[in-house]
Amino acid sequence: MSVTFHGVRGSTPCHGADIVKYGGNTSCVSLDVPGEAPILFDLGTGLRYFGSVQPRDTDFVGTCLLSHLHWDHIQGVPFFTPLLRAGSEIRIYAPAQEDGTSAADVFADTVKPPLFPVDLATLPGTLSFSEVLDSDFTIGEHGSISVMSRQIPHVGPTLGYRVTAGGATVAYLSDHQMPCDGTLSATDGALELCRDADLVIHDAQYTPDEFVGKCDWGHCTIDYAIWLAAEAGAKRLALFHHDPGHDDVRLDELAAEAAEAGARVGVEVFAAREGQTVAVGDPTPQR
């Protein structure tokens, strides 16, 4: 399968000449498994650009594995043009909420006046929801794609995912709180998600200095992401959820340092960027 990054920025969309290389859209990643409908990780503003390249003469049917319900991970939904067709559907797996509020209600309460000009329900397409926590299930036309979801530390109920298809495995942990004291440890669930994965897409929002003042904001350092990938025996690591304050020059510097650190522990590390496609199983990123 191949993985394409449509939005790699954390927390808020950004714009400017200083971020054109890595991009400013928030989290959205697509998986292309031959013979299967599209699979998405998250529905941030990058979803709009994914939607713009979908066929216009057929309805869209696909699956989203949603990490959590924070705004930067769902704000692309009302701008996903395939939902303007009545036959289109996104089947969303989302974390169950602690207070019992359904994911469907959260979406409906977010995309409506006065926060948005129209109600989500007025879009002709359909969003269907399944709520999961520590779960194992299959998706795809013939149930041939295995999915593991595990709760990971963040702010509010949050899931990481592991997708296996055709012998290739991708893990996605977009927002992952590391220990606030800076120690290198992880939950059993996080390690299970990443174990021997071909590609781990992981939160890499902060430098160690930045983390000191934001240690309880729900994220981690680049060094932590490298440690986790190595500890779990993953082959490649895509640094993801880039901090809004990191421009292209800074991300180039951080990516170069991370690649060197990863090489020392046997993990190929690169910084994800918008428009980049990675063929899982190939030794290097494409495009």
Side-chain angles (χ1 to χ4, degrees), residues 35-274:
E36 299 286 357
I39 302 168
L40 294 165
F41 290 128
D42 283 334
L43 302 167
T45 58
L47 180 66
R48 174 176 174 268
Y49 295 87
F50 171 75
S52 69
V53 297
Q54 298 309 299
R56 298 189 178 189
D57 56 350
T58 59
D59 296 329
F60 175 88
V61 177
T63 297
C64 173
L65 304 174
L66 186 67
S67 63
H68 60 306
L69 294 169
H70 288 173
W71 177 232
D72 56 314
H73 291 257
I74 67 172
Q75 64 192 131
V77 168
F79 303 100
F80 185 57
T81 53
L83 287 177
L84 298 178
R85 295 192 292 274
S88 292
E89 180 183 10
I90 306 178
R91 300 162 181 164
I92 300 172
Y93 291 84
Q97 300 301 292
E98 294 170 344
D99 64 358
T101 303
S102 70
D105 284 345
V106 173
F107 272 70
D109 287 342
T110 302
V111 185
K112 70 174 187 179
L115 300 176
F116 195 76
V118 299
D119 287 303
L120 183 62
T122 63
L123 298 178
T126 300
L127 302 180
S128 60
F129 294 89
S130 299
E131 295 182 4
V132 294
L133 286 174
D134 295 323
S135 307
D136 296 272
F137 52 97
T138 59
I139 58 176
E141 186 175 357
H142 304 292
S144 59
I145 302 171
S146 299
V147 180
M148 172 192 296
S149 63
R150 295 291 184 268
Q151 297 177 81
I152 59 174
H154 185 46
V155 180
T158 301
L159 297 175
Y161 290 97
R162 177 185 176 97
V163 177
T164 301
T169 297
V170 175
Y172 180 79
L173 297 83
S174 65
D175 296 51
H176 188 191
Q177 170 74 63
M178 66 180 281
C180 209
D181 63 5
T183 56
L184 298 177
S185 63
T187 63
D188 291 342
L191 288 165
E192 191 178 6
L193 291 169
C194 299
R195 182 71 63 198
D196 299 324
D198 294 290
L199 175 66
V200 173
I201 303 167
H202 197 282
D203 184 354
Q205 184 146 351
Y206 298 135
T207 65
D209 288 343
E210 292 166 342
F211 182 74
V212 170
K214 304 174 181 179
C215 75
D216 58 353
W217 287 22
H219 299 286
C220 68
T221 64
I222 295 169
D223 292 343
Y224 179 82
I226 296 170
W227 170 82
L228 179 62
E231 183 73 9
K235 297 179 178 66
R236 283 189 285 171
L237 169 66
L239 305 177
F240 189 75
H241 209 271
H242 305 312
D243 191 85
H246 293 169
D247 61 17
D248 289 340
V249 173
R250 185 63 175 136
L251 283 173
D252 279 344
E253 294 170 349
L254 294 172
E257 294 169 1
E260 292 180 2
R264 290 194 290 270
V265 292
V267 180
E268 180 189 337
V269 182
F270 63 96
R273 53 185 170 81
E274 277 185 36

